[in-house]
Amino acid sequence: MSAEPLPEVVRIAGDLIRIDTSNYGGGNAKGEREAAEYVGRYLEELGLEVEYYEPIERRTNVMARVAGRNRSKPALVVHGHLDVVPAVAEDWTVDPFAGLVQDGMLWGRGAVDMKNMNAMILTAVADIFRAGEQPERDLILTFFADEENGGVEGSALVVKNRPEWFAGATEAISEVGGYSITVDDRRAYLLQVGEKAMIWIRLVAKGRAGHGSRLHDDNAVTRLAEAVAAIGRTRWPLRLTDTTRALLEGLSTLTGRSVDDPDALARAAGPAEAFLRSTFRTTTNPTVLSAGYKHNVIPERAEALIDVRVLPGTEDDVLAELQRIVGDDVAIEIVVKDIGMETAFEGELVEAMVASIGAHDPGVPVIPYLLGAGTDNKALASLGITGYGFAPLRLPADLDFTGMFHGVDERVPVDSLVFGQRVLADLLRSY
């Protein structure tokens, strides 16, 4: 007896996972070309005209415009990114690039971030076409390169050199929103209406080179290590925004708990706690150390990379405080700096997203939240396009979904992908 065929959305997500698009950062990447061509072929088979933009060899972006019923309405950008962060196979239970379906889950790098959403976009549009229908308004389907490096070689170049792709668009939807969490045994959905600013910095300490056996007070490694430890141990104060206040109010309504202790209230969200708590304050995490070239040589220079995520509007204040923390003997270099964003949880698109979830999961509340990380919505903001996170997934209560972003054994339930495809198709039909 043959096995039941996989839903199309799962098959496509698995195919994309099997195309290794690992992005190591700093221009070191396998490239998105094959994944972009896969997406392009799928869209062409639906009868759409596809455009590619490859500003840097193998860093390929792809776009197709879908005509809506009411072309007087502003267009909606529906976008994803094709790259993924690297995966060390030895750390995983399964091959991270096999696209394996096991125990009702699709496993692999990109199953959560964000080849799942790419497949949902493609199949939602296919559902509309195959039913002989059109979306309500023009859709601009865009799949970017290099998001995992801040979009430097992807969305940043696309909006700069291909702004005509987004003509007539005022809003966008993409990843890291619309998924469910379980709060004290009650399900709720998080809709992303803002993002913290991302500032990637490099610390540089210099000293006097010398023999490793000497008394040596001017050691660059020591100076750097002290600066890294000081940043890593800094606990930034609580600082709420309109969005995080609304999140806390939503959680309080669900649980009956007070909003007076935001961290304690976030703990009611179970595995999503860490994801939510990071939105209440600045975070500064050391991620890379680099110094020296031989055991008995004291190097002249030592460097570290720090991932800084700050609340919208506090960028300059945080950079000044970081310089104070590390002292004048350690230089701070900006590697990537982008903007923070926050928009109101209101308007026709927000209402449509809430309604589309409600049609498939009636009576379950939808709560706004601020994303602690970033998406390509920031690049689109430079064109005046307001972005939201809406990759709808109904998830099991015991699945640490947010913990699998860039984590080991990344996986998503098959049923959740089917749910997301249907919700997204309904949104695109009606909005």
Side-chain angles (χ1 to χ4, degrees):
M1 189 173 180
S2 60
E4 186 174 336
L6 292 172
E8 184 182 26
V9 65
V10 179
R11 178 179 58 79
I12 291 172
D15 286 348
L16 289 171
I17 288 169
R18 284 185 283 274
I19 303 172
D20 183 355
T21 53
S22 294
N23 187 348
Y24 300 89
N28 179 14
K30 293 196 173 184
E32 297 83 1
R33 183 184 292 168
E34 288 77 16
E37 290 172 345
Y38 179 101
V39 168
R41 285 192 300 271
Y42 187 94
L43 294 172
E44 287 172 342
E45 288 170 3
L46 294 178
L48 294 169
E49 183 177 334
V50 171
E51 292 185 39
Y52 295 94
Y53 177 52
E54 188 177 280
I56 297 168
E57 186 176 5
R58 295 191 51 76
R59 310 312 304 275
T60 316
N61 307 271
V62 58
M63 184 278 293
R65 192 169 188 124
V66 182
R69 294 189 302 272
N70 189 345
R71 306 201 75 181
S72 65
K73 291 185 174 181
L76 176 68
V77 183
V78 186
H79 64 98
H81 63 84
L82 296 169
D83 61 325
V84 296
V85 295
V88 178
E90 293 77 12
D91 296 339
W92 285 56
T93 305
V94 302
D95 179 346
F97 296 104
L100 178 68
V101 175
Q102 180 177 284
D103 301 326
M105 301 267 192
L106 172 65
W107 296 63
R109 179 59 87 210
V112 166
D113 184 13
M114 65 168 293
K115 291 178 176 178
N116 59 340
M117 175 61 166
N118 294 336
M120 286 157 52
I121 293 169
L122 295 174
T123 52
V125 172
D127 282 351
I128 295 170
F129 273 52
R130 291 165 186 166
E133 301 171 346
Q134 285 180 281
E136 171 62 18
R137 65 185 66 218
D138 279 14
L139 305 177
I140 302 168
L141 311 178
T142 312
F143 300 84
F144 291 112
D146 202 45
E147 192 275 344
E148 297 295 1
N149 186 48
V152 175
E153 296 185 349
S155 59
L157 296 179
V158 175
V159 300
K160 177 183 177 182
N161 300 320
R162 293 292 186 272
E164 66 275 10
W165 278 12
F166 308 103
T170 57
E171 295 170 312
I173 58 173
S174 188
E175 59 177 333
V176 207
Y179 59 90
S180 71
I181 61 173
T182 301
V183 184
D184 280 353
D185 299 323
R186 295 186 62 189
R187 188 162 59 249
Y189 288 88
L190 296 178
L191 200 158
Q192 189 252 101
V193 297
E195 305 178 7
K196 291 168 76 176
M198 180 182 80
I199 309 175
W200 285 350
I201 63 172
R202 178 185 293 110
L203 303 184
V204 178
K206 295 182 179 180
R208 190 175 72 255
H211 198 288
S213 67
R214 296 182 58 184
L215 288 171
H216 198 99
D217 294 330
D218 189 15
N219 190 310
V221 177
T222 302
R223 187 168 292 129
L224 179 76
E226 290 170 342
V228 169
I231 287 178
R233 291 183 178 133
T234 296
R235 294 296 173 261
W236 296 85
L238 193 79
R239 186 167 178 173
L240 299 179
T241 71
D242 290 345
T243 301
T244 52
R245 288 189 189 94
L247 166 72
L248 291 170
E249 289 167 4
L251 295 177
S252 177
T253 299
L254 276 174
T255 64
R257 304 183 191 193
S258 170
V259 298
D260 293 340
D261 187 344
D263 288 330
L265 187 51
R267 282 192 280 274
E273 171 199 350
F275 219 60
L276 298 182
R277 289 180 62 208
S278 70
T279 69
F280 302 156
R281 51 179 61 80
T282 289
T283 60
T284 49
N285 285 308
T287 53
V288 177
L289 293 170
S290 178
Y293 53 91
K294 195 173 186 297
H295 208 135
N296 61 348
V297 178
I298 299 169
E300 183 181 15
R301 180 184 177 102
E303 300 180 359
L305 302 183
I306 314 292
D307 189 332
V308 181
R309 309 292 175 127
V310 310
L311 298 172
T314 67
E315 294 89 337
D316 291 341
D317 290 344
V318 169
L319 284 171
E321 179 62 11
L322 286 170
Q323 189 67 72
R324 187 198 67 77
I325 290 169
V326 302
D328 295 336
D329 289 341
V330 175
I332 295 179
E333 298 177 355
I334 305 295
V335 179
V336 177
K337 182 181 181 183
D338 65 19
I339 59 171
M341 305 183 305
E342 192 170 22
T343 192
F345 184 61
E346 60 186 30
E348 292 183 9
L349 177 53
V350 168
E351 291 171 2
M353 290 186 285
V354 171
S356 63
I357 286 178
H360 291 267
D361 201 356
V364 178
V366 180
I367 303 172
Y369 90 111
L370 182 75
L371 177 65
T375 75
D376 286 319
N377 277 327
K378 291 177 178 176
L380 293 172
S382 68
L383 300 177
I385 297 171
T386 301
Y388 300 86
F390 189 69
L393 296 167
R394 183 172 58 198
L395 299 164
D398 60 350
L399 182 69
D400 184 7
F401 179 74
T402 58
M404 286 187 286
F405 281 84
H406 300 189
V408 172
D409 286 346
E410 193 177 336
R411 60 197 182 277
V412 64
V414 167
D415 291 346
S416 298
L417 293 176
V418 174
F419 173 88
Q421 173 189 347
R422 292 171 178 167
V423 172
L424 196 58
D426 281 357
L427 173 69
L428 301 182
R429 281 189 183 98
S430 61
Y431 176 65

